[in-house]
């Protein structure tokens, strides 16, 4: 979603800002702009489209060592140049970029109108810069103009503000992430750690309510009411994985094929093969808490929710303890009953998903214990939870999540094993599972050496008006994940159902040639899944079957794709791979933008 980058220091700001925007591109956006103080006035350049389009309209050089930049994902107002950030006050004294949503902006806009100030854009953000300008005109300092304005707002914000006549930047955070990067006599502002790593490892994650005044050599953090806040410096570790594309054709391709190494990073040092258990130190769970946990609740959205559903089943299988997955947006709005004896797991790649953050705040408020299952180190979910497990997928830049899914599943598997071993799971069963889990990266590599007839499947999918995905047990969420991937990348309507539900409705869709993707690893539910497959076939459906290598059911598919055999509880780690490749290749063949599907954003930071 929207991205902010800001700079004040001793270097030319423009190339730094443009490179910052480029590194924020993966979040998803539809227009982009910069504002730079060139020493005599503030230059603003904006465009609808990509950062490359912005680059094309920028002057060759712009002197100036202070500026702000933005990638906008439209919420209030269409995708137009006028709605693109930065927004300026009518008198040109203030320029501002904003992430988040101002809920009461219409009321504020009417208030401005009554004072003779008419906004020129349709955005909620512009009201902020106009309100600050009125404060400044009334004699307030830049800091006071921001503090006074924030008092009138309802909603969420990450703000970076440039004052034409004051050599500083001001930032503020409430609900939308913002990070300050400290260099040598220069300071960077970003909504995401990724663009900062090119400049500095020393960063400060702002908390809600923080307002920061950034001068050339230093910065001071205050609360909205002006009380000083001691900055807590985090040193960014060298993360695993390359954030740049390198030789790969797309980020999604690169990330699919990174899964074996990502999985090694996730489970390395976290399993005890001898004792047949998991060791998730960051969860800080003692034996007693594990034994006494009444219920495990998992929360997430999209792909993270499907990974959570697999985790839920494994927790119940190994721990024999009730587990439930909740869609974060539903959970938080349904007045949930929170049991302090339950454990709550917030599952999120970005750690910035607004619905998951709101849900976990609600749980904490009601006394529940929440743990993060997160990829991005230092993200809001990770910091709010304080405890949890980093899945160590490395940077995931493609909007469609792939390697985060398999690592979420792996991390939850390790958790389920740890939980199970304090309860009913025998040492022999635990050891067997861990042994197979450690083999999974190699088995992924084996699959990638021979991916099977993906192109034949793509030929069927490209022609389809809709696609049905079926699976049972652990393969039901895998089917959902496959459907989500194909739908979001290729824009083909996809339905996913537990195979047994097929005859209760979706079967009505089937006609001669309808593609049905069936996920049928060699587990105890396979025979039942095959009954559903036969029912589809009898109605003329074309079956794309994902099965285990060597299994004779391979003969039943119109297109059959084999994955290596593995422990029945670990099959999602392998069966999802051909589904990811099918979605990627189908989208490519249909000419879609694989890494940046339309309307989607990588971090969904608004509700
Ligand atoms: C699908 C996808 C989304 C995300 C969802 C949650 O490929 O990427 O469905 O999974 O928006 O995002 P995180 O995991 O960052 O909370």
């Amino acid at each position: 979603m929207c991205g902010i980058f800001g700079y004040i220091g001793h270097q030319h700001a423009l190339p730094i800002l443009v490179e910052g925007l480029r590194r924020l591109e993966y979040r998803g956006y539809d227009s982009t702009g910069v504002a730079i103080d060139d020493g005599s006035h503030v230059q603003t350049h904006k465009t609808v489209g990509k950062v490359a389009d912005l680059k094309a309209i920028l002057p060759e050089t712009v002197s100036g060592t202070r500026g702000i930049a933005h990638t906008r994902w439209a919420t209030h107002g269409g995708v137009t140049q006028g709605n693109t950030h930065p927004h300026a006050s009518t008198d040109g004294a203030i320029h501002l970029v904003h992430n988040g949503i101002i809920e009461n902006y219409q009321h504020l806009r009417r208030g401005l109108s009554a004072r003779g100030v008419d906004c020129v854009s349709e955005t909620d953000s512009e009201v902020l810069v106009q309100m600050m300008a009125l404060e400044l005109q009334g004699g307030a300092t830049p800091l006071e103009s921001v503090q006074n304005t924030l008092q009138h707002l309802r909603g969420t914000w990450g703000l970076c503000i440039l004052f034409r006549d004051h050599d500083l930047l001001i930032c503020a955070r409430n609900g939308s992430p913002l990070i300050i990067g400290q260099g040598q006599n220069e300071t960077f502002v970003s909504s995401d750690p990724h663009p900062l790593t090119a400049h500095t490892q020393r960063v400060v994650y702002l908390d809600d309510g923080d307002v920061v005044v950034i001068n050339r050599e230093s910065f001071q953090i205050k609360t909205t009411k002006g009380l000083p806040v001691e900055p807590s410096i985090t040193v960014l570790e060298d993360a695993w994985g390359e954030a740049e594309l390198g030789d790969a054709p797309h980020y999604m391709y690169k990330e699919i094929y990174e899964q074996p190494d990502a999985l090694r990073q996730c489970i390395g040092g976290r399993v005890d093969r001898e004792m047949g258990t998991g060791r998730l130190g960051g969860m800080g769970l003692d034996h007693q808490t594990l034994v006494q946990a009444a219920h495990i609740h998992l929360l997430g959205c999209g792909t993270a929710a499907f990974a959570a559903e697999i985790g839920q089943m494994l927790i119940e299988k190994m721990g024999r303890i009730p587990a439930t997955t909740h869609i974060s947006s539903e959970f938080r709005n349904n007045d949930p009953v929170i049991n302090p004896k339950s454990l709550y797991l917030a599952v999120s790649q970005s750690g910035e998903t607004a619905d998951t953050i709101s849900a976990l705040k609600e749980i904490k408020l009601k006394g529940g214990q929440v743990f993060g299952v997160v990829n991005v180190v230092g993200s809001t979910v990770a910091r709010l939870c304080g405890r949890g497990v980093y899945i160590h997928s490395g940077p995931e830049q493609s909007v469609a999540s792939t390697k985060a899914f398999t690592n979420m599943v792996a991390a939850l598997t390790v958790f389920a094993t740890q939980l199970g071993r304090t309860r009913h799971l025998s040492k022999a069963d635990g050891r067997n599972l861990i042994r197979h889990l450690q083999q999974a990266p190699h088995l992924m590599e084996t699959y990638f050496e021979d991916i099977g007839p993906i192109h034949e499947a793509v030929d069927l999918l490209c022609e389809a008006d809709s696609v049905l995905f079926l699976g049972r047990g652990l393969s039901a969420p895998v089917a959902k994940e496959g459907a989500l991937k194909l739908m979001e990348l290729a824009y083909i309507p996809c339905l996913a159902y537990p195979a047994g539900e097929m005859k209760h409705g979706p079967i009505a869709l089937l006609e001669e040639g309808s593609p049905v993707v069936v996920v049928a690893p060699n587990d105890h539910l396979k025979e039942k899944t095959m009954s559903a497959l036969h029912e589809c076939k009898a109605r003329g459906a074309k079956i794309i079957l994902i099965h285990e290598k060597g299994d004779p059911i391979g003969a039943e598919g119109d297109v059959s794709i084999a994955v290596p055999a593995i422990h029945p509880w670990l099959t999602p780690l392998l069966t999802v791979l051909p589904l990811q490749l099918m979605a990627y290749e189908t989208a490519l063949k249909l000419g879609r933008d694989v890494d940046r599907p339309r309307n989607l954003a990588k971090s969904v930071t608004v509700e």
Side-chain angles (χ1 to χ4, degrees), residues 52-80:
D53 301 316
L54 177 68
K55 259 178 156 169
I57 59 157
L58 287 173
E60 198 111 301
T61 50
V62 177
S63 56
T65 54
R66 187 170 66 109
I68 58 178
H70 194 256
T71 50
R72 173 175 189 251
W73 188 84
T75 55
H76 293 70
V79 182
T80 63

Side-chain angles (χ1 to χ4, degrees), residues 301-304 348-351 353 399-401 408 484-485 488 604:
C301 303
T303 290
S348 175
Q349 187 286 130
S350 62
T353 300
V399 164
S401 191
M408 284 168 184
L484 174 64
K485 286 289 96 92
E488 68 181 341
V604 186

Side-chain angles (χ1 to χ4, degrees), residues 57-127:
I57 59 157
L58 287 173
E60 198 111 301
T61 50
V62 177
S63 56
T65 54
R66 187 170 66 109
I68 58 178
H70 194 256
T71 50
R72 173 175 189 251
W73 188 84
T75 55
H76 293 70
V79 182
T80 63
Q81 181 146 336
N83 289 336
T84 303
H85 299 219
H87 289 289
S89 56
T90 308
D91 62 5
I94 311 181
H95 290 71
L96 161 149
V97 290
H98 166 227
N99 288 359
I101 289 180
I102 305 303
E103 290 164 7
N104 57 338
Y105 83 102
Q106 274 170 328
H107 167 75
L108 298 171
R109 209 178 165 105
R110 284 194 293 274
L112 282 166
S113 257
R115 296 177 69 184
V117 180
D118 288 320
C119 291
V120 292
S121 77
E122 301 161 306
T123 65
D124 54 340
S125 312
E126 190 191 340
V127 297

Side-chain angles (χ1 to χ4, degrees), residues 325-344:
T325 299
H326 307 267
I327 299 292
S328 306
S329 52
E330 285 297 302
F331 181 86
R332 54 172 296 227
N333 291 316
N334 284 340
D335 197 14
V337 178
I338 304 299
N339 180 351
K341 290 198 181 124
S342 297
L343 306 181
Y344 294 82

Side-chain angles (χ1 to χ4, degrees), residues 475 478 519-521 546-547 563 570-580:
S475 298
V478 175
V519 186
I546 313 299
H547 65 95
V563 297
L570 300 177
T571 57
L573 295 174
L574 293 167
T575 52
V576 77
L577 304 181
L579 303 186
Q580 296 169 344

Side-chain angles (χ1 to χ4, degrees), residues 168-230:
L168 45 75
L169 295 178
I170 293 186
C171 296
R173 170 187 165 138
N174 182 50
S176 289
L178 216 48
I179 308 163
I180 307 292
Q182 199 181 34
Q184 286 285 344
N185 295 330
E186 56 185 352
T187 306
F188 306 83
V189 181
S190 177
S191 41
D192 183 317
H194 173 50
L196 293 175
T197 51
H199 304 287
T200 178
Q201 305 285 103
R202 290 169 62 78
V203 303
V204 177
Y205 289 90
L206 298 187
D207 285 321
D208 285 351
D210 284 353
V211 180
V212 193
V213 180
I214 308 173
N215 302 102
R216 292 206 173 257
E217 276 95 34
S218 62
F219 60 87
Q220 299 84 41
I221 307 180
K222 295 188 190 297
T223 63
T224 321
K225 295 211 169 85
L227 299 172
V229 176
E230 195 54 43

